């Protein structure tokens, strides 16, 4: 094993796959000459050249459309958005073209493309740069949505996404690019749609994904001091999500807390809550508890932002609530 940063895991995954398959290329703003806005494509221009690592104008709709069209001529593009907030400019291409090409062509064309970049908040960046869109894209048939939380998962899942014959939304975090973690020295690929139990427990199941899952680890450490054992499941893939892993855990612990960095209406935690109450209602000893951001645009003020974004104390409150403890 070796220890690398999250950004290095992303770069390694893309570079290894581009060495393996010449139809893969990277396109986006500042991915080439600047080595990526977050240095996630450092050194790739030098290795692969300007025909396979392509700087684009600030035109998300345009370069998303070019990349999607190129899949129909045998290419497998990776499109980087500087932030998924900017993907809204090109969302028509993602929703109405990438997600529907296979069906609308009667299976004549696949759309093997990866859209990747940071999602959700990254500090004081204001309301229009702090949004989590995982549930938006996951709501669309034809798209797969991956949100890793560490370098190991990021590398293995990005390689799987690049090899997939369907469009994949791969969401990262600006606040995780510097995170370090162990990854294998050799080749490995992780399956899409399989969750990972990050911590075994017996009293309550906590489901989360992406950078916000770090708050569940802090909460679990504190709760353990009080004799409460938390089982933490990292979804890793939002669509398709690992329903069986969640049900198995809930049937063991009989309690469920879901932590998600998104607005509370119609999100991933809502979907999981409905699924569990429909398929494991008799196993629940308490109502399901969801933890989300406040139902407002993200504030710029640091004091207000701290109130808006969930943290480990919110997780502790939620766990104690389903445990009927104060």
């Amino acid at each position: 094993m070796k220890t690398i940063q999250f950004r290095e895991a992303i770069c390694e995954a893309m570079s290894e796959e581009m060495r393996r398959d010449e139809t893969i290329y990277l396109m986006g703003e500042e991915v080439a000459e600047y080595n990526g806005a977050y240095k996630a494509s450092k050194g790739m221009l030098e290795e692969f050249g300007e025909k396979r690592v392509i700087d684009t104008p600030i035109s998300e709709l345009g370069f998303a459309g070019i990349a999607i069209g190129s899949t129909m001529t045998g290419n497998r593009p990776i499109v980087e958005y500087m932030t998924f907030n900017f993907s809204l400019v090109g969302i028509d291409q993602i929703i109405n073209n990438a997600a529907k090409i296979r069906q609308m062509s009667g299976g004549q064309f696949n759309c093997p493309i990866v859209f990747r970049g940071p999602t959700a908040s990254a500090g004081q960046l204001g309301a229009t740069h702090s949004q989590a869109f995982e549930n938006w894209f996951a709501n669309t048939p034809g798209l797969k949505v991956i949100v890793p939380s560490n370098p190991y998962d990021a590398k293995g899942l990005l390689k799987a996404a690049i090899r997939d014959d369907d469009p994949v939304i791969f969401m990262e975090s600006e606040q995780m690019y510097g995170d370090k973690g162990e990854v294998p020295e050799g080749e490995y690929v992780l399956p899409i749609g399989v969750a990972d139990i990050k911590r075994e427990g017996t009293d309550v199941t906590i489901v989360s994904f992406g950078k916000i899952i770090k708050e569940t680890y802090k909460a679990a450490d504190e709760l353990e001091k009080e004799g409460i054992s938390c089982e933490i499941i990292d979804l890793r893939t939002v669509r398709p999500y690992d329903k069986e892993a969640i049900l198995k855990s809930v049937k063991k612990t009989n309690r469920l807390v879901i932590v998600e960095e998104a607005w509370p209406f119609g999100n991933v935690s809502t979907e999981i809550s409905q699924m569990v109450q429909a398929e494991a209602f008799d196993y629940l000893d308490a109502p399901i508890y969801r933890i989300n951001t406040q139902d407002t645009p993200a504030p710029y003020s640091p004091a207000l932002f701290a109130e808006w974004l969930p943290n480990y104390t919110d997780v502790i409150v939620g766990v104690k609530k389903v445990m009927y403890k104060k």
Side-chain angles (χ1 to χ4, degrees):
M1 301 289 281
K2 60 183 178 182
T3 300
I4 61 175
Q5 290 184 330
F6 192 103
R7 60 168 56 88
E8 293 174 302
I10 296 296
C11 187
E12 284 191 2
M14 293 191 293
S15 298
E16 288 174 13
E17 292 304 302
M18 288 175 68
R19 293 179 197 123
R20 185 184 61 83
D21 186 345
E22 291 187 354
T23 67
I24 300 169
Y25 67 90
L26 172 65
M27 172 186 280
E29 295 153 355
E30 299 185 348
V31 299
E33 294 289 345
Y34 192 65
N35 286 311
Y38 309 101
K39 300 300 181 274
S41 54
K42 186 176 182 179
M44 291 180 65
L45 174 63
E46 289 78 5
E47 178 174 357
F48 300 105
E50 62 184 14
K51 289 187 177 181
R52 295 185 68 196
V53 182
I54 305 167
D55 277 332
T56 67
I58 304 174
S59 52
E60 288 81 7
L61 180 68
F63 65 76
I66 289 170
I68 292 166
S70 78
T71 67
M72 303 173 78
T73 58
N75 293 288
R76 306 180 71 90
I78 305 166
V79 173
E80 177 180 311
Y81 292 118
M82 197 176 293
T83 159
F84 262 96
N85 295 276
F86 300 163
S87 75
L88 298 189
V89 182
I91 199 168
D92 175 62
Q93 289 290 347
I94 300 171
I95 302 298
N96 280 329
N97 290 323
K100 297 176 175 64
I101 282 176
R102 182 193 288 269
Q103 183 191 44
M104 294 183 70
S105 70
Q108 295 179 82
F109 295 103
N110 297 333
C111 188
I113 187 170
V114 176
F115 299 96
R116 51 157 293 269
T119 184
S121 64
Q124 289 179 264
L125 296 183
T128 60
H129 290 67
S130 304
Q131 302 168 106
F133 293 120
E134 297 91 295
N135 58 302
W136 285 35
F137 291 111
N139 187 253
T140 307
L143 298 179
K144 297 175 181 176
V145 182
I146 299 171
V147 193
S149 65
N150 58 80
Y152 172 82
D153 290 348
K155 182 177 180 180
L157 285 166
L158 182 52
K159 288 171 72 71
I162 294 169
R163 296 182 187 188
D164 201 282
D165 286 333
D166 291 313
V168 180
I169 308 294
F170 193 93
M171 301 177 125
E172 302 150 16
S173 170
E174 293 163 63
Q175 293 185 324
M176 290 199 302
Y177 284 119
D179 288 0
K180 293 183 178 180
E182 290 188 337
V183 302
E185 291 280 358
E187 166 83 3
Y188 76 101
V189 179
L190 296 176
I192 295 173
V194 179
D196 188 33
I197 298 177
K198 299 298 188 186
R199 182 175 181 139
E200 298 275 355
T202 57
D203 293 327
V204 59
T205 298
I206 304 176
V207 174
S208 189
F209 57 89
K211 80 171 188 290
I212 202 70
I213 199 172
K214 297 177 185 179
E215 300 301 314
T216 73
Y217 301 147
K218 298 176 190 174
D221 288 340
E222 293 299 315
L223 289 162
E224 189 175 34
K225 298 173 184 176
E226 300 182 37
I228 298 175
S229 174
C230 300
E231 180 149 296
I232 300 176
I233 296 178
D234 187 342
L235 281 183
R236 304 197 293 194
T237 303
V238 167
R239 181 163 186 168
Y241 71 89
D242 193 344
K243 180 171 72 172
E244 296 307 317
I246 297 170
L247 290 173
K248 183 178 179 181
S249 181
V250 168
K251 289 177 181 179
K252 178 176 69 172
T253 67
N254 310 118
R255 295 171 175 85
L256 175 61
V257 173
I258 309 168
V259 185
E260 178 187 7
E261 187 178 346
W263 295 308
F265 187 90
N267 52 37
V268 176
S269 57
T270 304
E271 166 63 23
I272 294 173
S273 297
Q274 190 281 330
M275 181 276 294
V276 171
Q277 71 84 24
E279 301 192 28
F281 180 80
D282 290 341
Y283 290 89
L284 291 171
D285 287 342
I288 298 167
Y289 192 87
R290 298 187 303 133
I291 299 171
N292 299 104
T293 60
Q294 297 298 314
D295 198 17
T296 69
Y300 180 78
S301 158
L304 292 175
F305 184 80
E307 291 297 317
W308 179 83
L309 186 69
N311 59 43
Y312 78 98
T313 59
D314 299 313
V315 180
I316 291 173
V317 169
V319 169
K320 288 186 175 181
K321 188 174 181 67
V322 300
M323 294 290 296
Y324 300 109
K325 294 187 176 182
K326 294 183 178 180

